[in-house]
Amino acid sequence: MNIEAGKAINTDVEETMNEEPSRTPSSTPPPAPRREDIDREDRSTVGDYTVADPRMTARQVNVYYGDKHAIHDVSMDIGRNEVVSMIGPSGCGKSTFLRCLNRMNDTIDGCRVSGEITLDGQDIYAKGLDVVPLRAQVGMVFQKPNPFPKSIYDNIAYGPRIHGLVTTKAEEDEVVEASLQRAGLWDEVKDRLAQPGTGLSGGQQQRLCIARTISVNPEVILMDEPCSALDPIATAKIEELIDELREQFSIGIVTHSMQQAARVSQRTAYFHLGDLIEIGPTDDIFTNPRHPLTEDYITGRFG
Amino acid sequence: MKDISDGHTVKRFDGELATHHQLVMEMGGLVVDQINRAIRALDEEDPSLAREVIARDRMVNDLDIRLDEELITIIAKRQPVARDLRNLMTMDKTVTDLERVGDEARKLAALVEEFWGSSSSAAPSPALIHDVRGIAIYGKSMLDKALDAFNNLDAEKAVEVIRQDERIEEKFRSALRRLATYILEDSRTVGYSINVVLALRALERIGGHAKNIAGYVIYLTTGRDVRHVDLNTIVDEVLKDLR
């Protein structure tokens, strides 16, 4: 390519035309653009953390593990029929926050939670509240598929049974089939319901766990890295499932895959060192984030 | 200020963005050079230089294709988001406008070839050529400034370019009026007058493309989409942002 020669003639013509001096084609990339004036050190939440129709609300939530202050004043809503993703580097508090939403942190020694978290307006940390039904209302799907060492059928039927949602065998059959259908697993397992759940593939096991979660009619489903142990095809199936489940449930998902957050969620929350830095519509967070830390993290500029 | 391409944990991505930017600037340099050569061909009534400009349009097109391919590769490999995505989309749109400017330079060169390349056609009146030359130089100065604004992400300079676009349109309209008078006086000139209209139009478009590029720069720097917005609103809002 004869660009150098072009430049030379360019300058030549410029001189003969007696014009303003030529712009020198420079190889230095331009400086970073001006963003909104949000200080990198600012730790208050950017963006509106409320929604018009909240299912769960968290206000000024603080979590301590012993002396360690793990989460600082986090407030956010999970709306009806929406998927909210929580992203951030390891140790940012996103999983800790997620676990507060169905009191999973209660089981950890030395863990203290303050602030207010409500489900449909009711304080889930209220004295005397039974966490067992709470965890049916707010189900959790974990990173590693963890089916019970029982048959596929019993994996699903167990929950409805202990929560007294079914009384007859026919009802039980119905719940098992409906849950597996909704989790998109029915066709793959309907002929081997008596076989152990642990014999399924990883992706199938994860869908089994999702079926188990939805069998007790939850309102909110929490997912902590639900695809990190799965291959891309199994991941795609789970993501498709999440999109379908959104019609009936509210979903909070913690993920390390930013692309997954962008694909599955309607709102995204970015956590950093225990602070909720920014929250907003996923479309905005991934095209035009407002906090410099969010931008650095999602563009792969961290640390 | 931190460099727009820098700071990724994956350093190679920094390099890819910087290289892409550099290539866009090279394409800009090439296109400006094409306009300069076309203007010189017009000044010197040189059809062979004009033919050279026409042939060299291929280089512009090749760069266009190459930049497209590299953009697709970067998107596929890096899945850019936020600032990186805006940066790449700005570069992509700038490339499209630059390619069009290359076409306009070629059209001007084709006109020169038509006027002086064949013995059959009569040489046009110097008065008409004067307008063509004037608009060509004005359009080129706008493009220079737009590329400068792109290279330095200078929103203030971009606003200047957008302001200038009104001026070039005005120049275009008054040139058309002069042409109309000229044709009325001597209808035998209709043939090349039409060519002159086409050339004027091509050159006025260079200003339009420069304005587009300036708009992308404002989008990238301030996050505002200023296309299809009233000029005064742009100037007020962008300058307010910068303060």
Side-chain angles (χ1 to χ4, degrees):
Chain A
M1 186 127 340
N2 196 7
I3 287 167
E4 285 306 317
K7 278 181 206 159
I9 293 172
N10 184 359
T11 321
D12 197 36
V13 173
E14 288 289 348
E15 278 166 12
T16 56
M17 288 187 161
N18 211 5
E19 277 208 5
E20 59 187 275
S22 169
R23 167 193 49 75
T24 36
S26 147
S27 57
T28 45
R34 295 170 53 95
R35 304 301 309 150
E36 276 181 68
D37 292 326
I38 294 170
D39 190 343
R40 180 170 292 272
E41 302 307 317
D42 191 350
R43 290 293 183 269
S44 59
T45 303
V46 174
D48 185 4
Y49 56 77
T50 64
V51 295
D53 188 12
R55 190 109 226 199
M56 292 196 86
T57 64
R59 294 292 179 271
Q60 265 86 51
V61 172
N62 285 273
V63 179
Y64 305 83
Y65 291 123
D67 293 339
K68 190 176 180 293
H69 193 174
I71 291 193
H72 320 134
D73 278 330
V74 170
S75 297
M76 68 180 272
D77 288 352
I78 298 181
R80 229 162 265 272
N81 306 113
E82 76 166 355
V83 180
V84 180
S85 57
M86 287 152 242
I87 60 171
S90 296
C92 70
K94 56 191 190 299
S95 290
T96 298
F97 178 73
L98 191 80
R99 294 161 62 86
C100 291
L101 298 176
N102 74 348
R103 296 187 52 175
M104 293 285 289
N105 288 326
D106 289 13
T107 58
I108 297 172
D109 281 343
C111 178
R112 192 158 59 79
V113 178
S114 72
E116 187 191 53
I117 299 177
T118 67
L119 171 65
D120 294 328
Q122 203 201 341
D123 184 359
I124 66 166
Y125 281 86
K127 268 210 179 80
L129 184 123
D130 185 359
V131 297
V132 175
L134 170 70
R135 289 186 192 143
Q137 284 174 295
V138 184
M140 176 87 90
V141 175
F142 298 89
Q143 183 168 358
K144 208 160 157 261
N146 55 351
F148 303 134
K150 287 171 173 292
S151 71
I152 293 170
Y153 185 97
D154 283 340
N155 259 280
I156 309 297
Y158 183 72
R161 239 180 255 153
I162 61 156
H163 288 290
L165 301 174
V166 292
T167 44
T168 65
K169 176 78 169 94
E171 279 176 355
E172 213 173 270
D173 289 350
E174 203 178 302
V175 169
V176 168
E177 177 170 351
S179 304
L180 287 169
Q181 289 276 15
R182 273 148 86 186
L185 193 60
W186 176 250
D187 288 340
E188 290 162 61
V189 301
K190 64 181 177 206
D191 298 324
R192 45 174 169 151
L193 292 174
Q195 289 175 22
T198 47
L200 297 170
S201 74
Q204 287 172 328
Q205 286 188 24
Q206 195 61 303
R207 278 180 287 151
L208 181 66
C209 292
I210 292 173
R212 185 177 66 192
T213 305
I214 61 188
S215 68
V216 292
N217 289 322
E219 295 170 50
V220 179
I221 302 175
L222 306 175
M223 299 187 176
D224 192 354
E225 298 270 1
C227 300
S228 62
L230 305 182
D231 74 9
I233 293 166
T235 299
K237 283 185 182 158
I238 300 282
E239 288 182 6
E240 174 63 18
L241 178 58
I242 290 172
D243 205 44
E244 285 166 17
L245 294 176
R246 176 162 72 90
E247 287 170 21
Q248 287 164 297
F249 309 104
S250 302
I251 298 172
I253 177 171
V254 161
T255 175
H256 269 132
S257 161
M258 284 177 280
Q259 298 302 324
Q260 180 167 67
R263 286 190 300 258
V264 304
S265 69
Q266 285 71 55
R267 286 195 308 141
T268 296
Y270 173 65
F271 287 76
H272 180 89
L273 295 175
D275 293 299
L276 174 57
I277 295 293
E278 180 164 359
I279 182 166
T282 299
D283 292 351
D284 293 347
I285 297 288
F286 284 93
T287 56
N288 206 354
R290 288 156 63 197
H291 199 292
L293 286 173
T294 316
E295 173 126 37
D296 279 359
Y297 180 68
I298 65 169
T299 58
R301 286 178 159 91
F302 222 77
Chain B
M1 237 195 285
K2 220 172 60 177
D3 193 288
I4 188 171
S5 317
D6 274 1
H8 293 97
T9 306
V10 179
K11 291 281 174 286
R12 198 175 288 272
F13 189 16
D14 291 356
E16 285 166 1
L17 286 172
T19 306
H20 203 75
H21 180 88
Q22 190 181 336
L23 260 184
V24 175
M25 286 309 293
E26 277 183 26
M27 184 172 177
L30 180 64
V31 165
V32 168
D33 176 53
Q34 283 283 86
I35 302 173
N36 279 333
R37 286 173 183 231
I39 296 173
R40 200 171 58 162
L42 184 77
D43 283 346
E44 297 175 2
E45 303 178 4
D46 183 349
S48 71
L49 181 55
R51 277 190 287 273
E52 215 177 280
V53 171
I54 295 166
R56 278 163 53 104
D57 191 43
R58 258 200 70 151
M59 288 163 57
V60 179
N61 294 342
D62 287 348
L63 262 180
D64 179 33
I65 291 167
R66 183 172 155 202
L67 277 158
D68 257 14
E69 284 168 352
E70 290 192 359
L71 177 77
I72 287 170
T73 311
I74 293 176
I75 289 175
K77 267 203 306 204
R78 308 291 178 202
Q79 286 128 41
V81 293
R83 184 204 302 173
D84 296 329
L85 183 60
R86 290 198 307 276
N87 184 16
L88 281 167
M89 294 323 286
T90 299
M91 291 199 268
D92 181 48
K93 290 176 158 198
T94 299
V95 165
T96 306
D97 278 279
L98 287 175
E99 194 274 331
R100 301 266 166 80
V101 174
D103 290 346
E104 310 301 0
R106 193 194 60 216
K107 286 180 198 163
L108 178 60
L111 181 83
V112 171
E113 210 214 342
E114 175 137 354
F115 284 158
W116 291 287
S118 57
S119 47
S120 59
S121 119
S125 146
L128 295 186
I129 297 302
H130 181 77
D131 276 339
V132 173
R133 188 177 185 281
I135 293 186
I137 288 173
Y138 198 76
K140 195 203 69 107
S141 78
M142 284 175 70
L143 183 65
D144 269 338
K145 202 174 277 180
L147 285 170
D148 204 14
F150 169 80
N151 199 30
N152 300 308
L153 289 187
D154 183 341
E156 269 178 79
K157 198 157 253 175
V159 169
E160 282 176 37
V161 175
I162 291 173
R163 272 192 179 132
Q164 272 185 294
D165 190 55
E166 288 202 330
R167 236 352 243 122
I168 199 170
E169 282 177 13
E170 206 176 283
K171 279 170 177 284
F172 176 60
R173 282 192 297 272
S174 59
L176 283 188
R177 279 195 296 276
R178 274 193 292 280
L179 254 180
T181 321
Y182 192 76
I183 297 168
L184 284 175
E185 280 168 6
D186 183 357
S187 60
R188 285 171 303 173
T189 61
V190 162
Y192 68 70
S193 292
I194 288 175
N195 282 333
V196 170
V197 172
L198 294 176
L200 286 171
R201 176 69 186 158
L203 296 167
E204 182 263 332
R205 287 309 306 147
I206 293 179
H209 293 301
K211 179 190 171 188
N212 290 348
I213 294 171
Y216 310 146
V217 171
I218 291 173
Y219 170 66
L220 182 54
T221 49
T222 68
R224 273 176 200 282
D225 195 333
V226 293
R227 292 171 303 166
H228 319 296
V229 178
D230 171 64
L231 174 68
N232 291 325
T233 319
I234 298 173
V235 173
D236 288 353
E237 293 192 349
V238 170
L239 293 183
K240 197 168 67 197
D241 276 357
L242 293 177
R243 246 158 241 145

mmCIF file of all heavy atoms in Angstrom, chain A residues 166-195:
data_model
loop_
_atom_site.group_PDB
_atom_site.id
_atom_site.type_symbol
_atom_site.label_atom_id
_atom_site.label_comp_id
_atom_site.label_asym_id
_atom_site.label_seq_id
_atom_site.Cartn_x
_atom_site.Cartn_y
_atom_site.Cartn_z
ATOM 1 N N VAL A 166 -48.569 -32.331 48.265
ATOM 2 C CA VAL A 166 -49.247 -33.438 47.587
ATOM 3 C C VAL A 166 -49.699 -34.455 48.630
ATOM 4 O O VAL A 166 -49.042 -34.622 49.667
ATOM 5 C CB VAL A 166 -48.314 -34.141 46.569
ATOM 6 C CG1 VAL A 166 -48.020 -33.217 45.400
ATOM 7 C CG2 VAL A 166 -47.020 -34.603 47.231
ATOM 8 N N THR A 167 -50.802 -35.082 48.357
ATOM 9 C CA THR A 167 -51.271 -36.115 49.294
ATOM 10 C C THR A 167 -51.395 -37.474 48.618
ATOM 11 O O THR A 167 -51.081 -38.489 49.215
ATOM 12 C CB THR A 167 -52.631 -35.730 49.914
ATOM 13 O OG1 THR A 167 -53.467 -35.235 48.871
ATOM 14 C CG2 THR A 167 -52.473 -34.664 50.972
ATOM 15 N N THR A 168 -51.805 -37.493 47.379
ATOM 16 C CA THR A 168 -51.983 -38.787 46.719
ATOM 17 C C THR A 168 -50.850 -39.035 45.735
ATOM 18 O O THR A 168 -50.139 -38.113 45.320
ATOM 19 C CB THR A 168 -53.297 -38.815 45.928
ATOM 20 O OG1 THR A 168 -53.188 -37.868 44.873
ATOM 21 C CG2 THR A 168 -54.481 -38.470 46.801
ATOM 22 N N LYS A 169 -50.716 -40.281 45.376
ATOM 23 C CA LYS A 169 -49.703 -40.674 44.400
ATOM 24 C C LYS A 169 -49.955 -39.993 43.054
ATOM 25 O O LYS A 169 -49.015 -39.560 42.380
ATOM 26 C CB LYS A 169 -49.737 -42.213 44.251
ATOM 27 C CG LYS A 169 -48.794 -42.773 43.188
ATOM 28 C CD LYS A 169 -47.346 -42.820 43.711
ATOM 29 C CE LYS A 169 -46.425 -43.615 42.801
ATOM 30 N NZ LYS A 169 -45.703 -42.834 41.816
ATOM 31 N N ALA A 170 -51.240 -39.862 42.705
ATOM 32 C CA ALA A 170 -51.589 -39.239 41.422
ATOM 33 C C ALA A 170 -51.132 -37.789 41.393
ATOM 34 O O ALA A 170 -50.557 -37.318 40.411
ATOM 35 C CB ALA A 170 -53.096 -39.336 41.187
ATOM 36 N N GLU A 171 -51.336 -37.081 42.509
ATOM 37 C CA GLU A 171 -50.885 -35.689 42.600
ATOM 38 C C GLU A 171 -49.365 -35.610 42.474
ATOM 39 O O GLU A 171 -48.819 -34.725 41.819
ATOM 40 C CB GLU A 171 -51.312 -35.085 43.939
ATOM 41 C CG GLU A 171 -52.766 -34.624 43.958
ATOM 42 C CD GLU A 171 -53.174 -34.128 45.341
ATOM 43 O OE1 GLU A 171 -52.355 -34.233 46.287
ATOM 44 O OE2 GLU A 171 -54.294 -33.658 45.471
ATOM 45 N N GLU A 172 -48.723 -36.547 43.136
ATOM 46 C CA GLU A 172 -47.264 -36.584 43.117
ATOM 47 C C GLU A 172 -46.762 -36.774 41.685
ATOM 48 O O GLU A 172 -45.874 -36.045 41.223
ATOM 49 C CB GLU A 172 -46.795 -37.743 43.993
ATOM 50 C CG GLU A 172 -45.501 -37.479 44.699
ATOM 51 C CD GLU A 172 -45.182 -38.601 45.680
ATOM 52 O OE1 GLU A 172 -45.610 -38.489 46.842
ATOM 53 O OE2 GLU A 172 -44.537 -39.586 45.271
ATOM 54 N N ASP A 173 -47.385 -37.746 40.993
ATOM 55 C CA ASP A 173 -47.011 -37.990 39.594
ATOM 56 C C ASP A 173 -47.165 -36.722 38.768
ATOM 57 O O ASP A 173 -46.310 -36.384 37.941
ATOM 58 C CB ASP A 173 -47.907 -39.075 38.974
ATOM 59 C CG ASP A 173 -47.602 -40.464 39.529
ATOM 60 O OD1 ASP A 173 -46.569 -40.581 40.246
ATOM 61 O OD2 ASP A 173 -48.367 -41.405 39.260
ATOM 62 N N GLU A 174 -48.250 -36.027 39.049
ATOM 63 C CA GLU A 174 -48.548 -34.825 38.283
ATOM 64 C C GLU A 174 -47.474 -33.753 38.498
ATOM 65 O O GLU A 174 -46.978 -33.144 37.551
ATOM 66 C CB GLU A 174 -49.917 -34.301 38.742
ATOM 67 C CG GLU A 174 -50.623 -33.435 37.724
ATOM 68 C CD GLU A 174 -51.978 -33.012 38.272
ATOM 69 O OE1 GLU A 174 -52.790 -33.899 38.599
ATOM 70 O OE2 GLU A 174 -52.189 -31.800 38.408
ATOM 71 N N VAL A 175 -47.110 -33.525 39.771
ATOM 72 C CA VAL A 175 -46.093 -32.512 40.092
ATOM 73 C C VAL A 175 -44.753 -32.887 39.471
ATOM 74 O O VAL A 175 -44.044 -32.031 38.914
ATOM 75 C CB VAL A 175 -45.959 -32.353 41.627
ATOM 76 C CG1 VAL A 175 -44.723 -31.524 41.966
ATOM 77 C CG2 VAL A 175 -47.197 -31.708 42.198
ATOM 78 N N VAL A 176 -44.416 -34.183 39.557
ATOM 79 C CA VAL A 176 -43.136 -34.625 39.001
ATOM 80 C C VAL A 176 -43.091 -34.355 37.505
ATOM 81 O O VAL A 176 -42.128 -33.768 36.982
ATOM 82 C CB VAL A 176 -42.891 -36.129 39.294
ATOM 83 C CG1 VAL A 176 -41.709 -36.649 38.473
ATOM 84 C CG2 VAL A 176 -42.628 -36.340 40.777
ATOM 85 N N GLU A 177 -44.166 -34.736 36.810
ATOM 86 C CA GLU A 177 -44.171 -34.531 35.363
ATOM 87 C C GLU A 177 -44.146 -33.037 35.015
ATOM 88 O O GLU A 177 -43.371 -32.589 34.180
ATOM 89 C CB GLU A 177 -45.389 -35.210 34.710
ATOM 90 C CG GLU A 177 -45.414 -34.910 33.216
ATOM 91 C CD GLU A 177 -46.446 -35.728 32.445
ATOM 92 O OE1 GLU A 177 -47.036 -36.658 33.007
ATOM 93 O OE2 GLU A 177 -46.635 -35.412 31.257
ATOM 94 N N ALA A 178 -44.996 -32.261 35.708
ATOM 95 C CA ALA A 178 -45.075 -30.828 35.396
ATOM 96 C C ALA A 178 -43.730 -30.142 35.633
ATOM 97 O O ALA A 178 -43.272 -29.328 34.820
ATOM 98 C CB ALA A 178 -46.164 -30.170 36.237
ATOM 99 N N SER A 179 -43.077 -30.493 36.749
ATOM 100 C CA SER A 179 -41.797 -29.844 37.068
ATOM 101 C C SER A 179 -40.731 -30.205 36.046
ATOM 102 O O SER A 179 -39.950 -29.347 35.611
ATOM 103 C CB SER A 179 -41.331 -30.250 38.468
ATOM 104 O OG SER A 179 -42.319 -29.948 39.417
ATOM 105 N N LEU A 180 -40.706 -31.480 35.672
ATOM 106 C CA LEU A 180 -39.705 -31.902 34.692
ATOM 107 C C LEU A 180 -39.988 -31.280 33.319
ATOM 108 O O LEU A 180 -39.069 -30.922 32.588
ATOM 109 C CB LEU A 180 -39.655 -33.432 34.591
ATOM 110 C CG LEU A 180 -39.008 -34.132 35.797
ATOM 111 C CD1 LEU A 180 -39.245 -35.635 35.745
ATOM 112 C CD2 LEU A 180 -37.506 -33.841 35.848
ATOM 113 N N GLN A 181 -41.286 -31.147 33.009
ATOM 114 C CA GLN A 181 -41.659 -30.481 31.755
ATOM 115 C C GLN A 181 -41.143 -29.050 31.742
ATOM 116 O O GLN A 181 -40.516 -28.606 30.776
ATOM 117 C CB GLN A 181 -43.196 -30.439 31.597
ATOM 118 C CG GLN A 181 -43.847 -31.765 31.298
ATOM 119 C CD GLN A 181 -43.843 -32.129 29.827
ATOM 120 O OE1 GLN A 181 -43.114 -31.534 29.047
ATOM 121 N NE2 GLN A 181 -44.630 -33.130 29.464
ATOM 122 N N ARG A 182 -41.442 -28.332 32.842
ATOM 123 C CA ARG A 182 -41.041 -26.923 32.890
ATOM 124 C C ARG A 182 -39.530 -26.771 32.850
ATOM 125 O O ARG A 182 -39.017 -25.766 32.375
ATOM 126 C CB ARG A 182 -41.605 -26.255 34.145
ATOM 127 C CG ARG A 182 -43.012 -25.712 33.917
ATOM 128 C CD ARG A 182 -43.817 -25.795 35.176
ATOM 129 N NE ARG A 182 -43.640 -24.647 36.046
ATOM 130 C CZ ARG A 182 -44.171 -24.582 37.277
ATOM 131 N NH1 ARG A 182 -44.884 -25.571 37.735
ATOM 132 N NH2 ARG A 182 -43.984 -23.522 38.011
ATOM 133 N N ALA A 183 -38.819 -27.729 33.377
ATOM 134 C CA ALA A 183 -37.355 -27.662 33.347
ATOM 135 C C ALA A 183 -36.799 -28.212 32.032
ATOM 136 O O ALA A 183 -35.590 -28.304 31.852
ATOM 137 C CB ALA A 183 -36.766 -28.414 34.525
ATOM 138 N N GLY A 184 -37.687 -28.601 31.134
ATOM 139 C CA GLY A 184 -37.237 -29.068 29.818
ATOM 140 C C GLY A 184 -36.516 -30.403 29.874
ATOM 141 O O GLY A 184 -35.672 -30.701 29.028
ATOM 142 N N LEU A 185 -36.821 -31.200 30.891
ATOM 143 C CA LEU A 185 -36.084 -32.450 31.065
ATOM 144 C C LEU A 185 -36.968 -33.679 30.851
ATOM 145 O O LEU A 185 -36.475 -34.797 30.699
ATOM 146 C CB LEU A 185 -35.482 -32.460 32.493
ATOM 147 C CG LEU A 185 -34.415 -33.507 32.817
ATOM 148 C CD1 LEU A 185 -33.204 -33.346 31.910
ATOM 149 C CD2 LEU A 185 -34.003 -33.416 34.278
ATOM 150 N N TRP A 186 -38.267 -33.482 30.807
ATOM 151 C CA TRP A 186 -39.221 -34.591 30.796
ATOM 152 C C TRP A 186 -38.945 -35.611 29.700
ATOM 153 O O TRP A 186 -38.825 -36.815 29.958
ATOM 154 C CB TRP A 186 -40.641 -34.048 30.686
ATOM 155 C CG TRP A 186 -41.703 -35.112 30.581
ATOM 156 C CD1 TRP A 186 -42.455 -35.400 29.485
ATOM 157 C CD2 TRP A 186 -42.103 -36.035 31.589
ATOM 158 N NE1 TRP A 186 -43.310 -36.431 29.749
ATOM 159 C CE2 TRP A 186 -43.117 -36.859 31.037
ATOM 160 C CE3 TRP A 186 -41.703 -36.266 32.915
ATOM 161 C CZ2 TRP A 186 -43.730 -37.874 31.755
ATOM 162 C CZ3 TRP A 186 -42.321 -37.282 33.628
ATOM 163 C CH2 TRP A 186 -43.326 -38.079 33.046
ATOM 164 N N ASP A 187 -38.822 -35.113 28.479
ATOM 165 C CA ASP A 187 -38.656 -36.041 27.354
ATOM 166 C C ASP A 187 -37.396 -36.893 27.484
ATOM 167 O O ASP A 187 -37.351 -38.024 27.031
ATOM 168 C CB ASP A 187 -38.617 -35.264 26.037
ATOM 169 C CG ASP A 187 -40.000 -34.713 25.686
ATOM 170 O OD1 ASP A 187 -40.988 -35.239 26.231
ATOM 171 O OD2 ASP A 187 -40.071 -33.746 24.909
ATOM 172 N N GLU A 188 -36.383 -36.318 28.122
ATOM 173 C CA GLU A 188 -35.120 -37.045 28.231
ATOM 174 C C GLU A 188 -35.150 -38.097 29.340
ATOM 175 O O GLU A 188 -34.369 -39.049 29.306
ATOM 176 C CB GLU A 188 -33.965 -36.054 28.491
ATOM 177 C CG GLU A 188 -33.655 -35.181 27.278
ATOM 178 C CD GLU A 188 -32.864 -33.943 27.649
ATOM 179 O OE1 GLU A 188 -31.745 -34.094 28.159
ATOM 180 O OE2 GLU A 188 -33.365 -32.826 27.416
ATOM 181 N N VAL A 189 -36.025 -37.928 30.345
ATOM 182 C CA VAL A 189 -35.971 -38.833 31.511
ATOM 183 C C VAL A 189 -37.258 -39.608 31.772
ATOM 184 O O VAL A 189 -37.301 -40.432 32.681
ATOM 185 C CB VAL A 189 -35.586 -38.065 32.807
ATOM 186 C CG1 VAL A 189 -34.237 -37.388 32.640
ATOM 187 C CG2 VAL A 189 -36.653 -37.041 33.173
ATOM 188 N N LYS A 190 -38.299 -39.368 30.969
ATOM 189 C CA LYS A 190 -39.612 -39.934 31.329
ATOM 190 C C LYS A 190 -39.603 -41.458 31.375
ATOM 191 O O LYS A 190 -40.391 -42.059 32.101
ATOM 192 C CB LYS A 190 -40.703 -39.431 30.386
ATOM 193 C CG LYS A 190 -40.517 -39.863 28.941
ATOM 194 C CD LYS A 190 -41.606 -39.320 28.043
ATOM 195 C CE LYS A 190 -41.314 -39.714 26.619
ATOM 196 N NZ LYS A 190 -41.894 -38.809 25.654
ATOM 197 N N ASP A 191 -38.679 -42.092 30.649
ATOM 198 C CA ASP A 191 -38.649 -43.554 30.633
ATOM 199 C C ASP A 191 -37.720 -44.138 31.687
ATOM 200 O O ASP A 191 -37.555 -45.353 31.775
ATOM 201 C CB ASP A 191 -38.203 -44.052 29.256
ATOM 202 C CG ASP A 191 -39.186 -43.614 28.180
ATOM 203 O OD1 ASP A 191 -40.389 -43.584 28.478
ATOM 204 O OD2 ASP A 191 -38.738 -43.278 27.067
ATOM 205 N N ARG A 192 -37.061 -43.294 32.440
ATOM 206 C CA ARG A 192 -36.156 -43.827 33.461
ATOM 207 C C ARG A 192 -36.260 -43.038 34.766
ATOM 208 O O ARG A 192 -35.253 -42.705 35.396
ATOM 209 C CB ARG A 192 -34.718 -43.842 32.945
ATOM 210 C CG ARG A 192 -34.310 -42.545 32.238
ATOM 211 C CD ARG A 192 -32.841 -42.598 31.900
ATOM 212 N NE ARG A 192 -32.499 -41.496 30.999
ATOM 213 C CZ ARG A 192 -31.296 -40.947 30.981
ATOM 214 N NH1 ARG A 192 -30.358 -41.379 31.778
ATOM 215 N NH2 ARG A 192 -31.044 -39.970 30.138
ATOM 216 N N LEU A 193 -37.478 -42.793 35.177
ATOM 217 C CA LEU A 193 -37.709 -42.000 36.387
ATOM 218 C C LEU A 193 -37.226 -42.708 37.648
ATOM 219 O O LEU A 193 -36.912 -42.055 38.649
ATOM 220 C CB LEU A 193 -39.209 -41.675 36.535
ATOM 221 C CG LEU A 193 -39.768 -40.718 35.472
ATOM 222 C CD1 LEU A 193 -41.281 -40.593 35.632
ATOM 223 C CD2 LEU A 193 -39.109 -39.355 35.581
ATOM 224 N N ALA A 194 -37.130 -44.028 37.568
ATOM 225 C CA ALA A 194 -36.728 -44.775 38.758
ATOM 226 C C ALA A 194 -35.203 -44.857 38.909
ATOM 227 O O ALA A 194 -34.694 -45.291 39.941
ATOM 228 C CB ALA A 194 -37.315 -46.184 38.702
ATOM 229 N N GLN A 195 -34.500 -44.404 37.853
ATOM 230 C CA GLN A 195 -33.028 -44.479 37.934
ATOM 231 C C GLN A 195 -32.484 -43.330 38.772
ATOM 232 O O GLN A 195 -33.145 -42.293 38.916
ATOM 233 C CB GLN A 195 -32.440 -44.450 36.525
ATOM 234 C CG GLN A 195 -32.698 -45.749 35.774
ATOM 235 C CD GLN A 195 -32.217 -45.690 34.343
ATOM 236 O OE1 GLN A 195 -31.353 -44.889 34.013
ATOM 237 N NE2 GLN A 195 -32.794 -46.530 33.511
#
